[in-house]
Amino acid sequence: QVRLVESGGGLAQPGGSLRLACETSRRDFIIMGWFRQTPGKQRELVARINVGGSTEYTDLAKGRFTISRDNARNTVYLQMSSLKPEDTAVYYCYGDAVNTATKAFDRSWGQGTQVTVSS
C-alpha cells in the first residue's frame, strides 16, 4: 500500500513560517505536490513539483511558499512564509505515478496535516 506521511503542521503566528514535509515509500511519483482544504470548501492546489525539479505554484502560494523535493529521500517539502490567517487549512500531500496498464496517472494522498495561523 502506498503511503505518504505528512509532518510539520501546527500553529504559526501571522507573518510566521512553517515547513511541511511529506515522505513516501514510493520511488516512481512523477509529480508530487500539496493541496489544502478548509471546511465547506473544495480541496485546492497549492504547488507541485515534478521529478526533474520543475515547479508550479498557484496564485495563493506565489512569492510566499516554496516547494522542493529530495528524490533520494522520497520526500517533498513545502516551505511556507509570510503566513496569513487565511492559510489555515488541512494540507494534503499527493503523488502522481503512471499506471503501466492504463498509461494514466494514478494519484495517492497523504492523511493531511493541520496548519493553523493565528495570533
Side-chain angles (χ1 to χ4, degrees), residues 36 42 44 46-47 50 63 82 112:
R36 72 185 189 186
Q42 286 190 332
E44 59 180 349
V46 177
N50 68 18
S82 302

Side-chain angles (χ1 to χ4, degrees), residues 39-109:
K41 293 187 177 181
Q42 286 190 332
R43 199 171 288 190
E44 59 180 349
L45 178 66
V46 177
R48 58 190 176 192
I49 184 168
N50 68 18
V51 66
S54 295
T55 59
E56 181 178 344
Y57 298 92
T58 59
D59 287 344
L60 67 90
K62 287 179 182 177
R64 299 190 301 128
F65 296 175
T66 302
I67 190 169
S68 61
R69 181 170 179 170
D70 185 337
N71 291 328
R73 297 178 182 269
N74 299 325
T75 302
V76 64
Y77 303 95
L78 185 69
Q79 177 69 47
M80 303 187 294
S81 303
S82 302
L83 285 164
K84 307 173 183 178
E86 50 264 44
D87 293 318
T88 296
V90 177
Y91 284 71
Y92 295 92
C93 172
Y94 78 94
D96 288 339
V98 176
N99 183 308
T100 55
T102 66
K103 307 303 181 186
F105 278 130
D106 284 342
R107 176 162 293 177
S108 301
W109 293 95

